[in-house]
Amino acid sequence: MTPIRIEHPEHFHGLPVHTPAASVPLPAADAVAWRLECEYGEPTDFAVLWQQFLDTVDTAGVRALVIGPWWREEYTPFAPVRDLIVAHADRFPALRGLFLADVVGEECEVSWLRMCDITPVLEALPLLEEFTVRGGGQEGLDLRPVRHAALKSLRFESGGLPGSLVRAVAASELPALERLDLWFGSSWYGGDATVDDVRPVLSGGTFPRLRRLGLQNSEIQDEIAAAVASAPVVAQLESLALSMGTLSDTGGEALLNGQPLNHLSTLDLRHHYLTDPVLDRVRAACAPAVVEAGEAEEDDGDPDEEPERYVAVSE
């Protein structure tokens, strides 16, 4: 299996990511995406770090905020950080981009992050346009259906996305939403979402402005591909990602037998289990759309038995 590395973003919401340091002059509040993180073993906890940020930066001008590791030694729940953001939401009138739990494997595995219900964040920030959340369902990641008029981009990066969260996304009113990315993950780490959970999104009537859709990192990638092949939402899309999962020739044939995809600008199939002949046919059928695929992953296990296939990000 080819590993997928989750990296800290150098840019977020169109701005360079900046981590404040005592010895470095502060940039203008609106010039960067501010990254707040606790250093492992350092004495300052996140609540103190947060207050220092409020005291030293003109938060009225902050356009983007990235929350990195929030613990000092032992992993701690995210809920207190969420509560700080909600309690001081009025201090951030210009905030348009928010990334919760920008944490990489060297700091904590994605499915070990002790997340929480993140609905209050969306409710407290009605002008937010980009919202990214990393973490898994086994450790409490949750969402209730919401109405949010400004949100344009919603992204969940998970090694195990709970079906309840996917259903909440599908039941939400997000009239401005242009991009939606869902990493389904592994059932071993709480990823129990099904095709039925996402079917309202596939219907095309849920998010009228949706142009970029990612249904990725799934153990049921073939089932998702089959559902997408006849999904009305595809006609309104500019890009589609079915990457990072267990997509095989079964899913590839479903795409070939479904609706045309050549109106797309890109079809992302990276980290797949397609054979070369089927992938070649998909490329030909989708032209002039760019099919991003790379080389196929290798099936693990005994060749005489059912192949073992893995999602790109689980633990």
Side-chain angles (χ1 to χ4, degrees), residues 246-257:
T246 59
L247 185 70
S248 71
D249 284 357
T250 300
E253 291 288 354
L255 293 175
L256 288 166
N257 293 326

Side-chain angles (χ1 to χ4, degrees), residues 1 219 244-246 271 273 297-298 300 308-312:
M1 179 175 62
E219 294 177 328
M244 302 173 63
T246 59
H271 188 282
Y273 293 87
E297 302 297 308
E298 293 185 5
D300 291 338
E308 295 184 38
R309 296 168 178 158
Y310 302 93
V311 298

Side-chain angles (χ1 to χ4, degrees), residues 170-252:
S172 293
E173 294 183 54
L174 308 172
L177 194 69
E178 299 174 359
R179 176 172 183 168
L180 174 63
D181 294 285
L182 301 173
W183 293 12
F184 287 75
S186 166
S187 57
W188 185 259
Y189 291 100
D192 60 358
T194 67
V195 170
D196 284 341
D197 293 332
V198 79
R199 209 172 291 281
V201 176
L202 299 178
S203 72
T206 304
F207 305 130
R209 296 190 180 182
L210 193 67
R211 297 296 179 265
R212 302 176 67 182
L213 177 62
L215 304 175
Q216 302 159 265
N217 198 48
S218 176
E219 294 177 328
I220 57 168
Q221 205 71 61
D222 284 340
E223 294 179 45
I224 291 174
V228 164
S230 59
V233 74
V234 171
Q236 72 188 60
L237 298 179
E238 297 173 359
S239 68
L240 173 65
L242 304 174
S243 55
M244 302 173 63
T246 59
L247 185 70
S248 71
D249 284 357
T250 300

Side-chain angles (χ1 to χ4, degrees), residues 63-130:
R63 296 163 53 199
L65 191 59
V66 177
I67 305 298
W70 57 91
W71 60 90
R72 291 183 295 167
E73 293 181 357
E74 297 296 324
Y75 303 140
T76 59
F78 190 79
V81 179
R82 174 204 61 193
D83 294 344
L84 286 171
I85 295 171
V86 171
H88 297 100
D90 61 337
R91 299 281 299 271
F92 295 88
L95 189 66
R96 299 295 181 269
L98 180 60
F99 188 159
L100 302 184
D102 172 29
V103 179
V104 299
E106 292 82 359
E107 298 160 333
C108 179
E109 300 293 350
V110 64
S111 293
W112 299 359
L113 294 171
R114 301 181 63 184
M115 300 305 292
C116 62
D117 183 355
I118 47 81
T119 314
V121 176
L122 286 172
E123 293 173 336
L125 298 169
L127 299 181
L128 197 67
E129 296 179 354
E130 182 173 2

